[in-house]
Amino acid sequence: MSMKKDYEDIPGTFVFDADRSREGYHLNQFCISLRLQKNRDAFNANEEAYLDKYPMKPEQRDAVLKRDWNRLLELGGNIYYTSKLAANDGINFQNLAGLMTGMGVDAYRDMMLNGGRKVDGNRFKKEWGEE
Amino acid sequence: MARITAGVGVSHVPAIGVAMDTKITDQPYWQPVFKGFEKSREWMKEKKPDVIFLVYNDHCTAFDASCIPTFALGCAAEFQPADEGWGPRPVPVVKNHQKLASHIAQSLILDEFDITIMNEMEVDHGLTVPLSVMYGDMTPEDEWPALVIPLAVNVVQYPAPTGNRCFNLGKAIRKAVESFDEDLNVVIFGTGGMSHQLQYKRAGLINAEWDKRFLDLLTEDPVFASKIPHVEYLREAGSEGVEMVMWHVMRGALDEEVVEVHRHYHVPASNTAVGHIILENKAA
């Protein structure tokens, strides 16, 4: 019997559980390698060659090269890992959120200054018209 | 005998550390965040803990996906501030009370909390930001005024330990501290939170009402608070809001009845609601 996932009906959210962790393992291990300056230097010198060291799926590799931040999460990436790739590109957590929400950096910052995203209407997928 | 006299709950938002490190804390954006820690810094000077037992989570810094301990206790002599991708924070090296840490490790394991022992570990903003907000500006040449025992809790990969498990671990930590012979004043920190979601399309979620209820419950009905299920944190307080389970370790280590001596709440710091509370044991 598998464990029931009572968190899968939250909209716009990936809960990083064991299934996602397995799927994203090599992608996330690549991302965290960028924590260290010597690895950032090597990656920035030749992204393709650096990525060859990590046996991730072609679509994960493509999402890294394209900096498709949401796709990285859809393919098993976790935000604490993908944020290392963003940091390498000079993007901080707040600006990364601005990109992932599709709002853009300025509108996102304004929303946060006005108290953030409200929880009402954002609890369940059905409230977003999703299954 | 060593005693836990008080508990501190505090967010550990990385941008708060950056604001301190780049000296922009008096900017209008940051001023209200730091205003709420003025009283806390005075309190720390009066309280003068010998040791801080600091419960935090590592953000894929010391631990990558290859090894995910649920509870990891720092037993090394010292802990260097880590490079998290933008260079190490310019703050002092964190020094341990190694004998007390090892004593706690032994006591916890015999008490059936099978923790991981870390004899080498770097520490990230999860640990250093709480020290910075509570002590104020420090340079790498300074020394933190207290020794620090780090306890890293996994909240990155689901599931984090339950609130109930954290609360009971707090009780076991108290028992361990109280069975250590040296006369030490220990303050326990629970860090992380409050409501925030850093990822995907729902990023930016803040739930001030829920956060304030959590703070109320923490003071007044901690056992009830420790039973909050994970899905409630995830749904109501954002996917990264589940960090708040770590506050239950702090609360479990205190008396059933406590005095709330300070509270601070502000939105936003970057993506996050900043929450802070100081609780003292009545007998302290």
Side-chain angles (χ1 to χ4, degrees):
Chain A
M1 194 184 122
S2 63
M3 287 215 199
K4 187 174 166 285
K5 296 189 181 185
D6 58 0
Y7 47 78
E8 285 286 283
D9 61 347
I10 304 171
T13 303
F14 286 113
V15 175
F16 187 67
D17 61 13
D19 291 336
R20 295 199 182 282
S21 178
R22 270 198 313 280
E23 185 186 358
Y25 185 73
H26 295 293
L27 166 63
N28 288 322
Q29 291 297 78
F30 150 71
C31 288
I32 196 174
S33 75
L34 301 181
R35 187 168 83 71
L36 301 177
Q37 188 64 48
K38 67 175 169 51
N39 294 337
R40 294 196 287 273
D41 292 342
F43 175 67
N44 292 328
N46 187 339
E47 294 196 0
E48 295 269 7
Y50 189 86
L51 286 169
D52 286 344
K53 294 193 288 181
Y54 293 90
M56 62 179 88
K57 289 184 208 149
E59 56 268 36
Q60 292 172 327
R61 183 185 170 107
D62 186 56
V64 170
L65 292 169
K66 288 183 178 151
R67 305 298 198 268
D68 188 340
W69 304 109
N70 282 351
R71 190 84 186 119
L72 288 168
L73 300 181
E74 288 158 10
L75 296 170
N78 170 267
I79 187 64
Y80 289 118
Y81 293 91
T82 59
S83 63
K84 307 291 186 202
L85 177 60
N88 176 68
D89 290 11
I91 302 170
N92 65 24
F93 272 109
Q94 179 166 296
N95 292 344
L96 184 57
L99 296 171
M100 287 182 294
T101 55
M103 298 175 70
V105 168
D106 292 336
Y108 182 83
R109 186 186 156 94
D110 287 347
M111 176 182 79
M112 295 315 298
L113 280 170
N114 288 311
R117 186 184 306 284
K118 305 288 174 239
V119 72
D120 288 341
N122 293 311
R123 288 185 174 92
F124 296 95
K125 281 186 174 170
K126 60 177 186 265
E127 294 175 307
W128 283 28
E130 297 172 4
E131 279 308 303
Chain B
M1 147 185 129
R3 283 188 314 135
I4 294 179
T5 57
V8 171
V10 61
S11 302
H12 58 221
V13 185
I16 292 178
V18 175
M20 289 183 73
D21 299 343
T22 56
K23 315 281 179 211
I24 56 167
T25 56
D26 55 358
Q27 287 185 0
Y29 183 94
W30 288 108
Q31 206 274 338
V33 173
F34 288 98
K35 181 88 184 149
F37 290 100
E38 286 173 4
K39 179 170 177 182
S40 316
R41 290 177 188 178
E42 290 305 311
W43 183 84
M44 287 295 278
K45 278 182 203 156
E46 279 170 32
K47 198 77 189 171
K48 287 195 192 61
D50 301 303
V51 178
I52 295 171
F53 189 95
L54 205 153
V55 185
Y56 76 110
N57 68 288
D58 178 83
H59 302 75
C60 310
T61 303
F63 302 102
D64 63 21
S66 67
C67 178
I68 305 171
T70 294
F71 295 113
L73 188 71
C75 291
E78 57 181 46
F79 309 93
Q80 293 288 339
D83 181 353
E84 299 176 52
W86 48 88
R89 288 196 61 213
V91 292
V93 172
V94 175
K95 296 193 174 157
N96 197 354
H97 191 307
Q98 234 181 333
K99 280 179 79 173
L100 177 57
S102 315
H103 169 81
I104 292 172
Q106 290 187 19
S107 178
L108 289 180
I109 292 166
L110 293 173
D111 221 358
E112 302 182 343
F113 286 87
D114 311 315
I115 52 152
T116 300
I117 293 168
M118 301 300 295
N119 286 324
E120 307 241 353
M121 185 167 74
E122 293 188 335
V123 289
D124 71 9
H125 69 267
L127 184 125
T128 61
V129 167
L131 293 175
S132 291
V133 293
M134 295 300 286
Y135 279 122
D137 291 316
M138 303 280 277
T139 71
E141 288 72 41
D142 295 326
E143 283 204 13
W144 295 113
L147 299 170
V148 178
I149 302 177
L151 178 75
V153 179
N154 164 52
V155 296
V156 172
Q157 180 167 325
Y158 183 92
T162 63
N164 180 57
R165 184 67 171 161
C166 289
F167 188 78
N168 287 325
L169 175 62
K171 288 186 174 185
I173 290 165
R174 175 184 187 152
K175 189 170 140 192
V177 168
E178 289 180 351
S179 63
F180 191 70
D181 283 339
E182 198 182 335
D183 198 15
L184 294 170
N185 175 16
V186 180
V187 170
I188 183 164
F189 283 23
T191 73
M194 296 190 80
S195 58
H196 67 304
Q197 176 153 336
L198 301 175
Q199 51 126 350
Y200 211 49
K201 296 173 188 172
R202 201 176 72 138
L205 187 98
I206 297 286
N207 192 342
E209 201 180 322
W210 194 93
D211 287 341
K212 286 171 184 167
R213 177 176 155 265
F214 183 84
L215 291 171
D216 290 344
L217 286 172
L218 202 71
T219 304
E220 293 157 14
D221 197 351
V223 173
F224 181 86
S226 73
K227 310 285 188 199
I228 297 171
H230 284 343
V231 69
E232 182 175 333
Y233 292 96
L234 297 166
R235 195 185 310 283
E236 298 291 330
S239 50
E240 280 64 56
V242 77
E243 283 180 352
M244 276 182 272
V245 296
M246 293 184 289
W247 293 41
H248 299 305
V249 182
M250 175 271 281
R251 188 62 183 91
L254 301 179
D255 290 349
E256 205 172 306
E257 284 191 37
V258 291
V259 183
E260 182 179 322
V261 296
H262 182 51
R263 185 193 287 211
H264 170 43
Y265 186 80
H266 176 77
V267 177
S270 182
N271 303 290
T272 306
V274 176
H276 172 43
I277 199 165
I278 300 179
L279 304 173
E280 284 185 358
N281 282 341
K282 282 189 175 164

